[in-house]
Amino acid sequence: MIKASTERIVRTACTVGDGVCCGLLAHVKDGVLIKVEPADFPDRRFRHICARGLCSVKLVYHPDRLMYPLKRTGKRGEGKCQRISWDEALDTVARNLTAIGEKYGYESIGFATGANSALILIYLRLASALQATWVNIIGFGDAAGPCGEMTSYGVLNGDQHLTDFEHPEMCVLWGANLVETHSLKWRTIRDARERGAKVVVIDPRFTPTASKADEYISIRPGTDGALALGLMNVILEEGLVDQQFVIDHTVGPFLVRSDNGLFLRERDLVPEGSDKYIIWDNATNKPIAFNEQRARPSLVGTYHINDVECKPAFQLLADLVTRYPPHKAAEITEVPPEIIHRLATDYVTLKPTSSYRGGGLQRTFHGDLSCRAISTLAAISGNTKPEEPRSFRLRQGAFIRVKNQYFKPMSLLQMYEAIQNSQPYQVKALWLAEHNLMNQDVDNNRVLNELVPRLDFIVAADMFMTASARYADIVLPVCSFYEHLDLVPPLQGPNKYLQLSQKVIEPVGESKPDVDIVNELAERMGLGEHFSMSAEQYIDLLISSKHPSMAGVTRERLKEGPVELPKYDVSTFSTGSGRFEFYSERMKPYGQELPLYIEPIESSRRPLAKRYPLSYLSTHTKYGNHAVFANESWLRELDPEPMLEMNPADAKQRGIKNGDMVKAFNDRGSVKLKVKIHQGIRPGVVNINQGWLHNQYAAGTHQALTHGVINPAQAAVFEPNSALYDNLVEVMREG
Amino acid sequence: MVKQYGLVIDLERCTGCNTCVVACKLENGLEHGSWVDVKTIGGSYRDTPEGDHPALKMHYLPVLCMHCQQPPCRDACPLDAIVKADDGIVLVDESKCNGCQACLSACPYGVLVYDMGKNKVRKCTLCAHRVREGLDPFCVICCETEAMYFGDIGDRNGSVFNLVDRRRAAVLKPELGTKPSVYYCPTRHGLID
């Protein structure tokens, strides 16, 4: 049969960037990718695909796909370009990077690149070799959650401590629209619900996820931390705290000095004493160094020890929580007190309860504090799993390091400062890969007017002529994930498999994989000896970590199919204390040692709201993934144009009718688009589903409204986040 | 009992992800439109609810050819271009169809599509080309939430009909007597359309 001789099926893995990492079976006919379908996993629950995954085929053969390297001939942003050869492109890049490195220092070259697969991190290796800067772009909106988890649990993905239950009785989704943004996680919640679990969704928008919940709670944006404090208040007042968990797994019993806010240590009491934490022992009525076996620690009270007033950390938490009785929490969150009471009761009676925190929740200026408050609620109600979540360790150090040297790390928002104000040093050249800065990052007018003109040289490696590519001096066409080999680690739970993204078809046009681009450029910059490995060899290096999670993992096994990473036991938290730290010494300098509530910086209750009364969100949908599918016709058939969502009450006040053209604006910029008026969005809140291209708006862009103010507490613990959901705007009818 | 392939769609599981819509396009090469439409049962726009914030309600309803046991489209076709195959699948014979579209107005479910380029009426084939090779329809394969089940509805002892029974699944517009082969498990609110 002719069909059998020309059609083949290759297993690969999707890396479009949503972190789900689905396994795909790609059908190839006469060298052309014709179709994909979901691939099986040993655990069949992971067999999964979404509309975006199916449409990834359409991106491969998209008529606008970049087919060869380009150099800019017009002004930046105009998109006027000329075709050049790879030799000319890479020679030009090498020449310019060398010139800038020699003139300003190599740290002034910034690689601001994504991290959706293992081998895209080749840019970190190049940055290391050059002693250049690598910009971690997670601060585009996803950094605050990890900041909170780092403080609470000592790991960036600590939220898995809150969700990794086999049979939860309740699932509470805090600002998490998982139906649209992570449907594999949603499936586990759905399965729990089908077994009888209650599902609660807390969100200012009635999302498709909310439509599946047993209870939908509408909340004022950015106040989730206050809600969690309100729930804790009820739990404390009614004596429902899981004291055993607090004693066994949290810093709750440790005494804190009132004079400096630090934990009291043995060395504070005894000359040459140890670092051991001190508790107040109820058995002996004395302060003693903490000893797990015989301690009967007090969680409450005030103790004077060597003339220093001390309280157990739990007492300090209780002091904070006392300020948030249900009526007070209700006043802040605009969630009725009886709902607060009921949810608190559910948290202690429906055990275990899984608490999911969404990406949106942490996109307010103090989003890390919201996450910490939710974690603390889960801890004192006994809904936290002490075992460290499933983890894996690739041999990333060896992959990234060159000559025992690493790149200079920088956060995304600090990069704005570096380019604009030379803080902490100047960045003069930028390389963008898997990153559409000019379309997708905060404060677009600042990016275009303040950052771009200060950059001497911009390289964009992309599949399309994105906004960023239009501002680049050299544009390099890259392969889709179907056109090269890569390694796909399980980026976000619950996936537990390591997969190969296998090469399915030959590169389209003259496009190249990032690994080849970097190898060939490094050769031109005299670094060839460190960049002579193929994708296969880099993968072999990465999986040779000797870490228990990589036991038995080989490229040969990966070629055959996904390899389940063995679960290994880490029975404690990774914090300094080995415990869940709701009280953090490290956050003391920022006044955030406890998960307190701070009003969002641009909320409806700030003075700025007199001019700009509406809270602006820019959420994610099932019809795209950031800007990746903005130009894909099948998804655009379903969701053709950007719309500003507004509640009928807000629309009426402004004389706005469905379908009107409106302008949303603030001091930073504006965007012009059609309005969609409906009850699913809370009064006082407006939303644009983000990811649209500049030319899809009548004017402006969704990111013209947002700011890049750096939160120093987040910068200290991990990376400062873009507070994308903490922006005020006004909306008016326009033409 | 006569063989009647059909689908059971669990509306409580369906999240409106539209993966079936795109899967249909990919499998059947439909550049424009799809033979499945996921309707929002709620507000006036896609993905919006009915009610007043925050007391709101919304669910999704995937609609496709019902592969009726008494298909009104077939009866309306003046050229006998619409046939009901032995396995119960309703198919348009494109070699006979002249694009008159009489079937479009006869179908109470609005699932037939006129392809202007081909001057033919086209519609969901229940992936007959796959089904006859022992594979499930492609939308069923891809369904993100495992909400779609394919099988012989006519087999009262089969797993699919068992699901119909257990979940009190129902068909759309039963009063018309078309006897659809696509069943819907209602939402927890007991809703279908």
Side-chain angles (χ1 to χ4, degrees):
Chain A
M1 286 195 12
I2 296 168
K3 191 179 161 194
S5 66
T6 57
E7 193 169 329
R8 60 196 172 88
I9 296 175
V10 183
R11 186 184 178 115
T12 190
C14 180
T15 61
V16 297
D18 53 9
V20 185
C21 306
C22 296
L24 303 178
L25 294 181
H27 295 242
V28 184
K29 193 175 181 182
D30 301 326
V32 176
L33 174 65
I34 52 168
K35 168 173 131 176
V36 289
E37 59 179 296
D40 277 322
F41 283 87
D43 181 344
R44 65 170 303 281
R45 290 177 301 170
F46 293 93
R47 186 180 179 283
H48 180 263
I49 202 165
C50 69
R52 294 166 294 219
L54 291 171
C55 288
S56 63
V57 176
K58 296 273 292 169
L59 294 181
V60 173
Y61 302 111
H62 195 287
D64 297 337
R65 175 99 190 254
L66 291 176
M67 302 299 266
Y68 35 75
L70 297 163
K71 75 173 175 190
R72 179 170 62 84
T73 54
K75 284 188 197 146
R76 276 189 178 153
E78 272 185 343
K80 284 187 187 157
C81 290
Q82 181 189 320
R83 177 179 183 172
I84 53 173
S85 69
W86 270 104
D87 276 338
E88 184 183 347
L90 292 176
D91 287 346
T92 307
V93 174
R95 198 171 57 245
N96 277 277
L97 294 187
T98 305
I100 288 167
E102 294 302 322
K103 189 171 174 190
Y104 301 103
Y106 278 87
E107 63 187 12
S108 69
I109 301 167
F111 292 87
T113 58
N116 288 331
S117 68
L119 293 191
I120 189 79
L121 302 187
I122 191 71
Y123 287 108
L124 281 68
R125 185 177 176 87
L126 180 59
S128 294
L130 288 170
Q131 283 296 285
T133 297
W134 181 67
V135 179
N136 189 344
I137 64 171
I138 192 171
F140 71 82
D142 283 348
C147 285
E149 322 307 1
M150 190 51 120
T151 301
S152 300
Y153 307 106
V155 287
L156 295 172
N157 62 343
D159 54 328
Q160 290 183 44
H161 284 288
L162 305 179
T163 57
D164 195 19
F165 299 110
E166 199 65 36
H167 294 299
E169 292 288 316
M170 178 165 78
C171 297
V172 182
L173 282 70
W174 297 76
N177 180 16
L178 296 175
V179 157
E180 290 195 83
T181 59
H182 203 304
S183 48
L184 207 46
K185 278 188 193 169
W186 169 253
R187 267 200 207 164
T188 65
I189 297 166
R190 185 273 314 275
D191 289 347
R193 191 175 181 281
E194 289 184 357
R195 283 192 302 264
K198 179 176 181 178
V199 175
V200 179
V201 171
I202 304 165
D203 202 307
R205 300 187 309 138
F206 186 82
T207 59
T209 312
S211 78
K212 294 288 164 193
D214 296 288
E215 184 170 4
Y216 164 61
I217 299 173
S218 179
I219 188 169
R220 192 167 68 89
T223 65
D224 305 75
L227 179 59
L229 288 165
L231 297 178
M232 284 190 261
N233 181 285
V234 175
I235 291 167
L236 234 80
E237 287 297 315
E238 301 195 355
L240 300 170
V241 172
D242 186 335
Q243 302 227 2
Q244 204 56 50
F245 186 89
V246 173
I247 290 171
D248 291 345
H249 297 293
T250 81
V251 291
F254 299 164
L255 293 171
V256 178
R257 302 170 57 123
S258 66
D259 57 345
N260 62 9
L262 300 178
F263 287 115
L264 187 68
R265 309 279 186 152
E266 190 183 33
R267 62 170 183 267
D268 294 333
L269 305 182
V270 194
E272 292 171 32
S274 72
D275 272 354
K276 276 188 181 157
Y277 297 93
I278 303 296
I279 58 153
W280 188 267
D281 182 33
N282 279 332
T284 56
N285 234 3
K286 278 199 299 211
I288 58 164
F290 181 67
N291 174 318
E292 318 246 349
Q293 274 78 47
R294 54 184 185 84
R296 278 187 48 208
S298 169
L299 291 178
V300 294
T302 305
Y303 306 94
H304 292 269
I305 301 166
N306 293 356
D307 294 331
V308 179
E309 188 188 279
C310 298
K311 288 182 181 183
F314 186 80
Q315 179 65 57
L316 295 172
L317 176 67
D319 294 347
L320 169 69
V321 165
T322 308
R323 287 158 41 200
Y324 295 90
H327 71 271
K328 173 72 176 163
E331 191 271 321
I332 296 169
T333 60
E334 297 175 5
V335 174
E338 58 275 15
I339 290 179
I340 294 175
H341 209 275
R342 185 172 67 235
L343 188 56
T345 309
D346 285 348
Y347 250 95
V348 288
T349 53
L350 300 176
K351 283 195 190 180
T353 282
S354 288
S355 306
Y356 289 84
R357 63 121 185 108
L361 166 88
Q362 45 100 59
R363 291 190 184 117
T364 52
F365 193 72
H366 297 291
D368 52 330
L369 284 171
S370 301
C371 294
R372 285 176 59 196
I374 293 164
S375 295
T376 306
L377 162 68
I380 73 162
S381 59
N383 290 299
T384 300
K385 219 175 156 178
E387 293 80 25
E388 184 165 287
R390 182 185 289 271
S391 183
F392 65 95
R393 214 66 40 90
L394 295 171
R395 205 173 158 202
Q396 221 162 54
F399 177 55
I400 290 168
R401 195 171 53 218
V402 174
K403 289 185 288 187
N404 260 329
Q405 290 183 317
Y406 285 100
F407 58 83
K408 296 198 160 53
M410 185 179 277
S411 69
L412 179 71
L413 296 180
Q414 195 62 51
M415 182 195 83
Y416 282 46
E417 296 295 323
I419 297 170
Q420 192 174 353
N421 305 314
S422 301
Q423 290 301 324
Y425 53 81
Q426 60 187 343
V427 166
K428 298 299 286 181
L430 212 53
W431 186 306
L432 303 170
E434 237 178 45
H435 181 201
N436 191 354
L437 169 69
M438 284 66 159
N439 203 79
Q440 287 299 101
D441 289 323
V442 284
D443 208 346
N444 189 254
N445 287 323
R446 185 178 169 201
V447 171
L448 301 186
N449 302 327
E450 301 296 336
L451 306 193
V452 167
R454 288 179 168 85
L455 288 165
D456 286 0
F457 191 61
I458 304 171
V459 180
D462 212 300
M463 284 171 64
F464 294 101
M465 202 64 190
T466 60
S468 300
R470 283 204 308 280
Y471 284 88
D473 301 294
I474 295 287
V475 181
L476 305 175
V478 295
C479 291
S480 74
F481 68 82
Y482 292 108
E483 297 155 49
H484 66 103
L485 176 71
D486 209 330
L487 180 69
V488 184
L491 284 178
Q492 293 177 15
N495 201 336
K496 55 189 177 185
Y497 294 98
L498 188 66
Q499 299 176 76
L500 279 188
S501 180
Q502 305 213 69
K503 181 171 169 175
V504 174
I505 50 168
E506 289 304 312
V508 170
E510 293 182 10
S511 68
K512 286 180 191 277
D514 295 274
V515 165
D516 291 10
I517 294 173
V518 168
N519 280 352
E520 290 172 31
L521 176 69
E523 175 74 40
R524 285 171 165 80
M525 297 185 79
L527 298 163
E529 57 175 314
H530 307 293
F531 290 88
S532 57
M533 286 202 273
S534 63
E536 284 83 356
Q537 289 169 312
Y538 282 129
I539 289 171
D540 289 342
L541 174 67
L542 280 163
I543 59 180
S544 67
S545 70
K546 306 277 194 285
H547 185 262
S549 64
M550 290 294 140
V553 177
T554 62
R555 189 152 50 83
E556 282 61 43
R557 276 187 70 201
L558 287 166
K559 262 182 175 166
E560 283 161 26
V563 176
E564 183 174 342
L565 297 175
K567 201 157 185 164
Y568 63 98
D569 282 337
V570 181
S571 55
T572 58
F573 294 98
S574 298
T575 50
S577 62
R579 288 163 166 256
F580 170 71
E581 295 196 356
F582 61 80
Y583 187 96
S584 170
E585 286 180 328
R586 190 178 178 183
M587 301 311 282
K588 175 75 187 164
Y590 308 96
Q592 297 176 9
E593 61 275 21
L594 285 164
L596 71 166
Y597 171 71
I598 306 175
E599 184 71 14
I601 56 170
E602 290 197 10
S603 86
S604 55
R605 297 186 183 181
R606 295 282 188 184
L608 184 67
K610 287 200 169 60
R611 281 163 64 207
Y612 302 119
L614 299 166
S615 290
Y616 167 64
L617 310 178
S618 46
T619 59
H620 298 220
T621 75
K622 56 199 172 194
Y623 303 114
N625 179 46
H626 301 293
V628 175
F629 292 96
N631 62 349
E632 195 292 296
S633 62
W634 287 3
L635 290 169
R636 295 292 65 78
E637 223 175 69
L638 295 167
D639 184 28
E641 59 179 334
M643 302 279 262
L644 181 107
E645 296 177 78
M646 184 178 240
N647 186 276
D650 295 318
K652 195 176 171 197
Q653 268 181 26
R654 290 164 179 79
I656 294 170
K657 293 189 184 64
N658 250 328
D660 279 354
M661 192 60 83
V662 295
K663 183 168 94 168
F665 61 99
N666 58 23
D667 287 344
R668 293 179 288 272
S670 64
V671 59
K672 191 175 159 185
L673 71 173
K674 282 186 196 156
V675 70
K676 174 161 90 175
I677 300 164
H678 65 93
Q679 288 283 356
I681 189 153
R682 206 184 145 76
V685 181
V686 291
N687 180 48
I688 300 171
N689 287 322
Q690 60 99 337
W692 299 93
L693 310 178
H694 291 204
N695 63 10
Q696 289 169 319
Y697 292 106
T701 166
H702 56 280
Q703 288 295 23
L705 303 170
T706 52
H707 63 78
V709 179
I710 290 177
N711 180 330
Q714 293 175 353
V717 66
F718 174 50
E719 305 263 341
N721 199 32
S722 298
L724 295 162
Y725 297 5
D726 197 341
N727 297 270
L728 287 169
V729 301
E730 178 54 294
V731 175
M732 57 187 263
R733 199 150 62 89
E734 176 94 343
Chain B
M1 198 69 198
V2 201
K3 194 171 207 176
Q4 175 62 62
Y5 281 138
L7 296 175
V8 179
I9 303 177
D10 183 343
L11 298 184
E12 185 53 38
R13 281 194 165 192
C14 176
T15 57
C17 70
N18 276 277
T19 306
C20 54
V21 173
V22 173
C24 179
K25 291 167 78 73
L26 188 60
E27 181 67 19
N28 297 296
L30 306 177
E31 200 43 51
H32 303 288
S34 174
W35 297 336
V36 192
D37 179 25
V38 177
K39 296 182 187 304
T40 301
I41 309 298
S44 46
Y45 287 97
R46 196 189 281 272
D47 303 311
T48 63
E50 63 176 312
D52 289 317
H53 198 95
L56 301 160
K57 234 172 25 187
M58 172 174 80
H59 74 276
Y60 294 97
L61 181 70
V63 178
L64 65 167
C65 175
M66 301 293 159
H67 298 280
C68 303
Q69 290 178 50
Q70 302 293 332
C73 58
R74 177 193 58 185
D75 301 343
C77 179
L79 300 171
D80 293 333
I82 298 180
V83 293
K84 193 156 176 66
D86 292 345
D87 51 13
I89 297 178
V90 175
L91 293 168
V92 179
D93 182 344
E94 290 189 16
S95 67
K96 287 187 184 168
C97 174
N98 70 350
C100 79
Q101 301 171 60
C103 52
L104 256 72
S105 42
C107 173
Y109 306 104
V111 293
L112 295 152
V113 182
Y114 174 62
D115 184 326
M116 216 183 301
K118 291 184 186 266
N119 188 34
K120 305 281 177 198
V121 168
R122 308 187 75 197
K123 65 167 204 66
C124 162
T125 65
L126 209 55
C127 281
H129 61 289
R130 290 176 58 89
V131 166
R132 287 160 192 178
E133 287 186 9
L135 302 168
D136 279 359
F138 200 56
C139 56
V140 175
I141 291 286
C142 294
C143 179
E144 195 177 271
T145 54
E146 304 155 309
M148 300 174 91
Y149 304 86
F150 168 78
D152 183 0
I153 299 282
D155 179 4
R156 301 283 142 158
N157 299 315
S159 61
V160 177
F161 193 80
N162 184 279
L163 191 64
V164 170
D165 214 25
R166 190 161 49 82
R167 295 286 306 278
R168 294 162 196 265
V171 297
L172 295 183
K173 302 184 182 178
E175 69 281 6
L176 300 179
T178 53
K179 297 190 176 168
S181 307
V182 176
Y183 283 76
Y184 296 94
C185 305
T187 69
R188 84 194 69 164
H189 305 297
L191 298 173
I192 290 180
D193 55 345

